[in-house]
Amino acid sequence: MEASPSGARQAPEIVSSVPGTFAHGVWTERHPALLRRLTEATPYGPRQRDALDALLTETLHGTVAALPEHAQDAALWNGPWDRGHYGRRWLQAPFLWAESYFYRRLRTATGYADPQEDGGARRGVDPFAPFKEAELAGEGVDEQLAALDGLDGADEAERTDALLLGALWGNRADLGFLLTSDEASGDRPLVADERPALHRLLAGAAERGAVPGRIVLVADNAGRELIADLLLLAHLLETGTATEVLLHVKPHPYYVSDAVPADVLAAVRRIAAAPAAAGRAGRLLTGALREGRLLVRSHPFSCAPLGYAAMPGDLRADFASAALTLLKGDLNYRRLVGDRHWPATTPFAEVTAGFPGPLGALRTLKSEVVTGLAASTAAALDDSGEEWRTNGQHALIQVREAEAE
């Protein structure tokens, strides 16, 4: 393994070309299932259906085609995000890069992005909206919001812990995972549990950071997961743990159920419409949005095919200004540590050394990469016989309390 600029030793990048691996199955099982669901949920015309079929065929049997120069973000994809993979087989490119580019191309195929012959009638229409709307309207959300009443008698530390775990396990519910897997129960011990360190960071947030009391949360999925994230943020604002929150979401539809700004507003409305404790949290969030204490960010780099080590200066400044950054979900974890075949015991602090400021990762395991496990934990999981890295049945909370010198 070669040494990286941060000093961490680099493991091989994950690619998709090996049959039987998780990454290979994403292309051969998950993406075909996803495109079937898309065409069942939305009455796309012949142009969109043909484009989706052509995209699937290209990914399985063809080579990666570059965006045309007239595409809205061609300057990024054919510039700083181009890593020399155009013209290669899709499954030979790094998994993170290729999967991200697949979703960019899907936005063109569905008419969300770039000019089409239908006059742009579908331009800006989230192709995943039917899935997001159905989840947000479901009984599961009612139960989730009603459960907040059960915390009324708990002290602040207990409420914080419960809401952290709710935000963590909410990550198991994204549609892309459910297409090919059973939903996790959420009742297993965490494979890495650094909540004491996270509680310390939260307790001192109001006195720390370039903007004291600023907490950044980098969201993952819409629907139930985003609601859990927002309930946690409402609690942090209500208790004064956070004086200001920056909520980072995607600027465009991405990875099936990833949250975009419209999803934040829909989730806040859903929470505010609930009775009792959830309704109070929703009204607090509504007020925080109006007052500028809850700020929604959507940086283009959130949809980049690159790790956070390559983030631009303005995004780095956002993270560096915070007392704490919380990164949610599997994709953010892959981008944080590098989508590589790390030994599971590789120190989390080592592979996140370049990230500015204190951070916490809340993640349900749904892909191969993992770091920071105790040797005994990794050995027991490896001996269990289950696909523990990818089956969504395990989760972790990891913390790096200070930026490496």
Side-chain angles (χ1 to χ4, degrees), residues 1 9-12 14 191-194 333 337-338 340-351 363 365 367-383 388-390 394-398:
M1 296 190 293
R9 294 181 66 78
Q10 294 286 46
I14 294 173
V191 300
D193 187 356
E194 298 179 2
Y333 190 89
V337 306
R340 297 175 176 274
H341 290 288
W342 298 113
T345 56
T346 303
F348 178 73
E350 180 179 302
V351 293
R363 176 224 183 182
L365 277 64
S367 64
E368 293 171 334
V369 64
V370 68
T371 67
L373 302 196
S376 57
T377 300
L381 289 166
D382 286 339
D383 291 343
W388 63 271
R389 292 173 181 255
T390 59
H394 299 277
L396 58 78
I397 295 177
Q398 291 175 322

Side-chain angles (χ1 to χ4, degrees), residues 71-245:
Q72 61 182 199
D73 49 359
L76 287 170
W77 282 99
N78 299 339
W81 296 356
D82 177 1
R83 289 298 186 269
H85 304 307
Y86 300 128
R88 300 177 62 190
R89 296 291 298 270
W90 279 80
L91 274 61
Q92 293 173 335
F95 180 41
L96 177 64
W97 190 95
E99 193 179 20
S100 182
Y101 190 53
F102 168 83
Y103 283 102
R104 170 58 187 89
R105 292 280 302 281
L106 186 147
R107 294 201 298 273
T108 293
T110 59
Y112 177 93
D114 306 324
Q116 288 199 331
E117 292 174 0
D118 60 5
R122 299 184 186 274
R123 189 175 180 85
V125 177
D126 188 340
F128 308 124
F131 311 134
K132 295 176 179 179
E133 292 165 359
E135 182 177 325
L136 201 60
E139 293 181 0
V141 172
D142 293 326
E143 296 169 0
Q144 178 185 15
L145 294 173
L148 197 62
D149 294 339
L151 296 179
D152 275 348
D155 63 29
E156 182 178 327
E158 291 171 330
R159 287 173 60 85
T160 301
D161 203 59
L163 291 166
L164 281 170
L165 289 174
L168 168 66
W169 283 111
N171 175 244
R172 71 188 185 272
D174 72 278
L175 178 64
F177 176 72
L178 295 180
L179 285 170
T180 52
S181 305
D182 295 326
E183 186 171 343
S185 61
D187 58 358
R188 300 196 185 193
L190 305 186
V191 300
D193 187 356
E194 298 179 2
R195 274 178 290 169
L198 186 53
H199 281 288
R200 285 196 299 272
L201 288 175
L202 288 169
E207 288 79 40
R208 191 180 58 250
V211 180
R214 171 180 282 182
I215 290 178
V216 174
L217 189 145
V218 184
D220 190 18
N221 297 302
R224 284 182 288 173
E225 181 178 353
L226 184 58
I227 282 180
D229 295 341
L230 287 165
L231 293 176
L232 171 63
L233 296 182
H235 169 71
L236 297 179
L237 287 167
E238 182 180 33
T239 59
T241 302
T243 56
E244 177 184 274
V245 172

Side-chain angles (χ1 to χ4, degrees), residues 26 37 52 104 111 168 184 210 222 256 290 301 310 318 324 347 387:
V26 165
R37 289 287 299 273
L52 289 168
R104 170 58 187 89
L168 168 66
V256 188
R290 287 174 173 156
F301 190 78
D318 247 12
L324 172 66
E387 299 294 330

